[in-house]
């Protein structure tokens, strides 16, 4: 679904008498700026994959925050970066398309890293989007002391002034420490249009289950692999089917998925000695998948080579990009 806000007359009110607001916010920032972690903290559940490897988000995951007077739909985008591959170019296109369609943009800058060329590159792009309100969110505040945090807040304010961006708010947050997470929502909601809820109560994301399952497997596969591998891993869930002849109180879901890498030499890294690494990936991801789907799962994983898929339009299409 394309993010789209339904504007309604001021008469649309919640039970408290205040106008109900609903709309789309997206978090942008360079890779590994804490966007996915913040999305998960606001939703209160894992809806976006997180990793200490940059560039882990490849789909715009929508997390949904429900409040009595508002609904905030969070669109998590890949980190904008100078692309080196066709995949990189496509990820950047996803970011720019999303920016053009949301009600508010949250620009994430980590507190523990100085404002650098990557941040300026993104801020220059944001400066060209005139009408959409922009909130600067200084993330990872648990990693710095108060002096360093103050310096970062001043640097972010200065960045806005230099490029002609008027920040609607500048807010520090620690998503892992749970500090000021709700304040982020409090500041984004008033910037949303008046609207009835856009999604049913209880929905936390509109990401298809198969996509989320693939992302959870990829997250587990990313853990502990060498630096050259993160961008080379793609996961496709081929099928998810309930096991036949199971008693109603003991269901089992069979999931068959392929982990794709780019070169035969990478196969050994993913599989590990005597299959130990792949087994660990299966065990870790299965726990998260069972929590997500609420049912026991049998996970069948295979590793396949899709030569240089990041640069091949045909392969990218096949892998869902």
């Amino acid at each position: 679904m394309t993010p789209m806000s339904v504007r309604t007359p001021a008469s649309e009110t919640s039970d408290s008498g205040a106008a109900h607001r609903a709309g789309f916010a997206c978090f942008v920032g360079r890779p590994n700026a804490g966007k996915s972690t913040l999305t998960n903290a606001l939703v209160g559940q894992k809806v976006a994959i997180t990793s200490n490897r940059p560039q882990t988000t490849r789909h715009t995951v929508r997390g949904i925050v429900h409040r009595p007077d508002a609904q905030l739909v969070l669109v998590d985008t890949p980190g904008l970066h100078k692309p080196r591959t066709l995949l990189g170019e496509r990820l950047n296109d996803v970011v720019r398309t999303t920016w053009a369609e949301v009600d508010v943009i949250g620009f994430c800058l980590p507190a523990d890293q100085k404002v650098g060329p990557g941040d300026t590159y993104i801020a220059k792009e944001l400066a060209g989007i005139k009408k959409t309100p922009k909130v600067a969110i200084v993330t990872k505040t648990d990693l710095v002391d108060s002096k360093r945090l103050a310096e970062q807040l001043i640097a972010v304010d200065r960045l806005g002034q230099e490029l002609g961006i008027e920040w609607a708010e500048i807010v520090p947050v620690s998503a892992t420490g749970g500090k000021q997470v709700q304040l982020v929502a409090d500041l984004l909601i008033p910037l949303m249009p008046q609207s009835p809820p856009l999604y049913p109560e209880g929905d936390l994301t509109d990401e298809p289950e198969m996509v989320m399952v693939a992302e959870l497997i990829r997250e587990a596969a990313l853990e502990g692999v060498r630096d050259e591998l993160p961008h080379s891993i793609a996961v496709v869930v081929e099928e998810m089917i309930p096991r036949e002849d199971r008693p109603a109180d003991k269901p089992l879901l069979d999931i068959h998925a392929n982990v794709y890498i780019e070169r035969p030499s990478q196969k050994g890294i993913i599989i590990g000695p005597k299959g130990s690494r792949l087994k660990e990936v299966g065990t870790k991801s299965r726990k998260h998948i069972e929590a997500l789907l609420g049912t026991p799962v049998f996970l069948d994983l295979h590793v396949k080579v899709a030569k240089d898929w990041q640069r091949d339009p045909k392969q990218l299409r096949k892998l869902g990009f």
Side-chain angles (χ1 to χ4, degrees):
M1 172 186 162
T2 303
M4 199 173 71
S5 294
V6 186
R7 311 274 164 173
T8 60
S11 59
E12 196 76 52
T13 58
S14 68
D15 296 340
S16 64
H20 189 282
R21 293 183 178 274
F24 292 85
C26 78
F27 293 142
V28 302
R30 58 191 158 92
N32 209 17
K35 303 179 294 291
S36 298
T37 309
L38 182 56
T39 297
N40 290 337
L42 280 160
V43 176
Q45 192 174 317
K46 190 186 203 61
V47 290
I49 85 160
T50 56
S51 162
N52 56 8
R53 303 261 176 243
Q55 273 305 112
T56 44
T57 304
R58 288 183 183 161
H59 300 271
T60 52
V61 174
R62 295 183 180 91
I64 304 163
V65 180
H66 299 271
R67 290 193 172 184
D69 60 341
Q71 192 179 75
L72 186 59
V73 186
L74 302 167
V75 185
D76 181 38
T77 58
L80 193 78
H81 61 296
K82 289 199 170 140
R84 293 191 191 92
T85 61
L86 182 59
L87 172 65
E89 285 173 24
R90 291 207 176 159
L91 293 179
N92 276 357
D93 289 344
V94 166
V95 178
R96 292 192 182 100
T97 305
T98 305
W99 290 4
E101 295 171 330
V102 294
D103 299 295
V104 60
I105 296 169
F107 181 22
C108 295
L109 304 99
D112 64 328
Q113 294 164 40
K114 286 196 161 138
V115 173
D119 300 309
T120 308
Y121 173 70
I122 294 166
K124 280 179 179 165
E125 295 245 352
L126 290 179
I129 307 165
K130 297 295 182 198
K131 288 182 181 168
T132 311
K134 296 157 203 76
V135 174
I137 303 168
V138 176
T139 58
K140 307 188 185 187
T141 59
D142 52 304
L143 300 180
V144 297
D145 59 23
S146 53
K147 179 174 177 284
R148 178 75 194 89
L149 177 57
E151 287 167 359
Q152 187 72 336
L153 293 170
I154 291 164
V156 170
D157 184 40
R158 195 177 295 132
L159 178 69
Q161 287 174 19
E162 284 167 7
L163 297 174
I165 301 170
E166 195 177 325
W167 303 120
E169 305 280 355
I170 301 176
V171 57
V173 65
S174 166
T176 51
K179 284 188 181 161
Q180 306 230 105
V181 171
Q182 291 314 312
L183 179 62
V184 173
D186 293 343
L187 296 174
L188 293 175
I189 284 167
L191 301 170
M192 297 290 149
Q194 289 180 16
S195 162
L198 304 170
Y199 290 91
E201 181 70 42
D203 279 14
L204 297 179
T205 180
D206 69 351
E207 194 72 73
E209 280 181 351
M210 279 175 103
V211 172
M212 291 198 62
V213 167
E215 288 287 272
L216 289 170
I217 295 167
R218 193 164 67 90
E219 178 177 40
L222 279 169
E223 276 180 38
V225 294
R226 289 188 210 159
D227 290 344
E228 73 269 22
L229 231 59
H231 312 324
S232 302
I233 298 173
V235 176
V236 175
V237 174
E238 297 296 337
E239 58 180 8
M240 289 173 32
I241 41 175
R243 179 83 58 92
E244 287 181 12
D245 307 323
R246 295 282 293 192
D249 59 340
K250 287 188 180 169
L252 186 67
L253 187 68
D254 284 315
I255 297 178
H256 301 278
N258 291 326
V259 179
Y260 288 95
I261 32 94
E262 294 193 289
R263 294 187 297 281
S265 61
Q266 296 170 335
K267 214 167 176 177
I269 300 171
I270 288 289
I271 293 171
K274 295 184 177 172
S276 60
R277 176 120 181 65
L278 189 64
K279 194 175 174 187
E280 199 180 309
V281 170
T283 306
K284 270 190 179 163
S285 57
R286 197 183 74 243
K287 279 182 192 161
H288 287 304
I289 293 164
E290 288 180 341
L292 172 76
L293 302 177
T295 184
V297 160
F298 172 79
L299 183 59
D300 177 39
L301 288 181
H302 293 272
V303 180
K304 297 192 171 186
V305 178
K307 197 171 178 321
D308 293 329
W309 66 263
Q310 291 189 70
R311 290 170 166 58
D312 181 345
K314 207 164 130 195
Q315 299 267 30
L316 279 172
R317 269 198 306 280
K318 185 184 160 191
L319 297 176
F321 297 105

